[in-house]
Amino acid sequence: MKKLLFAINVGWYYDLHWQERVKSDMTEGFETHLCMSKPTNPTEPNMHSLSLTRSSVGLLDNLTTFYQALKIFNKIKPDTIHSVTIKPNIMFGLIALFARLPIFLTIPGMGSMFSQNTFKSKVIAKAILAIYRLVGKNRQSVFIFENKTDLQTFVDQKICSEVNAVTVPGSGVNIDEYSAPELDTTPQPLKLLFAARLLEGKGLRELVEATQNVKASGIDVVLNVAGIIDDDSNESIPLSQLEEWHQQGKVNWMGQINGGMQEVIAANDVIVLPTRYGEGLPRILIEANACRRPVITTDIGGCRDFVINGETGILVQICDLKALEDAIKKLSDREYCAGLGEYGRRRVEAFYTDKHVIDSYIEVYKPHR
């Protein structure tokens, strides 16, 4: 049986986005080995821990991690590699290049370095693209994207071509699990939900301000906030800030949701993600529409690939506070809000289920089984 090494950045991300796929028909026919930092189940069979700090750009840190990755590779001796997120893609991409092995590289968004506007982030972004360009010289590499914008960026940068690049419909959702009754259209406060990693680039600060302005205009609106405080990121919003907003009555801070996310979504009316971050295809948007809830998000790659503006949600420009306020006001019309949510559900059923995603990966894997 061929060996597949599946490498990803961190345990919680694997659990949330990849565990079901890796244990599905997607990897049938492979002896699958897992490699990640901070696995939630380190004793799982074929689990290999990697010391990887996602936000570190230090040479020594990354060389140490690369050496560990090389040791894991030599121990497993895989026939194929599938890597996900920037650092595993770069490290195992280089290993696959020099070992002349096939590798699938999933790009779940470009990441924060491509959405920040500092000199440091621009230099790092250029370095990342340069290394990806080297990785792309492996003729057995396949680049997998969650949106067409990122795919086109890689093609324009001559990292890959359309021959060895594909798109998949995000992470998909189980539509039996993620389901909810149609939105209640009787008059009541509009409940907004922000559910994402608590990073500056996800737009929560702008949403808090926009919600306060909408309240001041006379519309009764509640902002519920849930998510992961990502201490590994230098963009993390501190817990103290969330608690302060909660005490001021600006948000209802719910903490991290470790189960029953569909129930949280169903208890709200609109899911809002005013992100400027380099997204792939945010799972929360798919989950929201699956639960018959419309979304408000930004007109950037990934988000615009998923949302049909005015039909399944509303797209606004990045950091456009007025547009964000107008979108919230528009969806305070509960009949209109319910209609968008219902059409969103039908589109998820047609294109964005977990089966659609798994079938896409089975097709990509097929030549290497």
Side-chain angles (χ1 to χ4, degrees), residues 88-106:
N89 283 346
I90 285 174
M91 293 182 184
F92 285 97
L94 291 172
I95 290 170
L97 171 67
F98 294 115
R100 298 181 180 179
L101 277 184
I103 182 168
F104 307 101
L105 305 103
T106 294

Side-chain angles (χ1 to χ4, degrees), residues 125-320:
K126 285 185 178 180
I128 290 169
L129 291 175
I131 301 172
Y132 265 134
R133 205 170 289 117
L134 179 60
V135 168
K137 292 184 181 298
N138 182 351
R139 293 183 179 180
Q140 298 185 83
S141 62
V142 178
F143 289 82
I144 305 168
F145 300 88
E146 294 188 351
N147 66 68
K148 294 176 182 176
T149 303
D150 292 348
L151 186 154
Q152 193 58 52
T153 297
F154 271 55
V155 170
D156 292 345
Q157 290 289 329
K158 302 189 186 312
I159 295 168
C160 60
S161 70
E162 293 184 359
V163 174
N164 67 327
V166 297
T167 57
V168 296
S171 57
V173 296
N174 181 328
I175 55 171
D176 294 325
E177 178 183 353
Y178 281 87
S179 183
E182 186 175 338
L183 187 72
D184 183 357
T185 57
T186 58
Q188 56 189 282
L190 182 69
K191 296 185 288 294
L192 308 178
L193 174 65
F194 175 96
R197 277 194 294 159
L198 281 307
L199 304 179
E200 295 290 353
K202 298 285 186 176
L204 179 57
R205 286 187 189 275
E206 293 91 332
L207 179 57
V208 171
E209 184 177 351
T211 304
Q212 290 302 299
N213 292 343
V214 171
K215 282 183 181 179
S217 74
I219 295 174
D220 196 356
V221 58
V222 176
L223 175 56
N224 296 311
V225 175
I228 297 169
I229 296 177
D230 190 351
D231 293 328
D232 280 349
S233 173
N234 54 19
E235 272 205 295
S236 182
I237 296 176
L239 177 60
S240 58
Q241 176 65 85
L242 294 157
E243 290 174 339
E244 180 183 327
W245 283 334
H246 182 84
Q247 290 167 1
Q248 293 170 342
K250 294 180 178 179
V251 308
N252 174 33
W253 167 233
M254 303 173 68
Q256 182 174 332
I257 307 299
N258 293 316
M261 190 64 201
Q262 70 280 7
E263 296 171 3
V264 175
I265 293 170
N268 286 273
D269 304 319
V270 181
I271 282 61
V272 191
L273 184 68
T275 179
R276 56 181 182 274
Y277 189 86
E279 305 284 354
L281 199 171
R283 179 184 171 92
I284 187 62
L285 302 184
I286 307 175
E287 292 173 342
N289 273 183
C291 290
R292 294 182 169 85
R293 299 299 181 263
V295 300
I296 299 172
T297 190
T298 37
D299 188 9
I300 60 173
C303 300
R304 79 164 72 96
D305 289 64
F306 177 72
V307 176
I308 301 179
N309 192 27
E311 296 186 35
T312 64
I314 297 177
L315 293 172
V316 299
Q317 294 303 308
I318 294 173
C319 297
D320 189 335

Side-chain angles (χ1 to χ4, degrees), residues 8-14 17 36-38 50-58 61-62 65 84-88 90-91 108 111-113 116 120 124 128 197-199 202 228-236 277:
I8 195 166
N9 56 357
V10 65
W12 67 259
Y13 184 77
Y14 168 75
H17 294 285
M36 65 192 73
S37 69
K38 302 177 183 177
L50 186 68
S51 297
L52 184 152
T53 305
R54 287 173 292 132
S55 60
S56 172
V57 294
D61 275 354
N62 287 296
T65 303
V84 183
T85 65
I86 292 174
K87 284 194 177 181
I90 285 174
M91 293 182 184
S112 61
M113 289 301 169
Q116 296 176 20
K120 179 181 177 181
I124 294 172
I128 290 169
R197 277 194 294 159
L198 281 307
L199 304 179
K202 298 285 186 176
I228 297 169
I229 296 177
D230 190 351
D231 293 328
D232 280 349
S233 173
N234 54 19
E235 272 205 295
S236 182
Y277 189 86

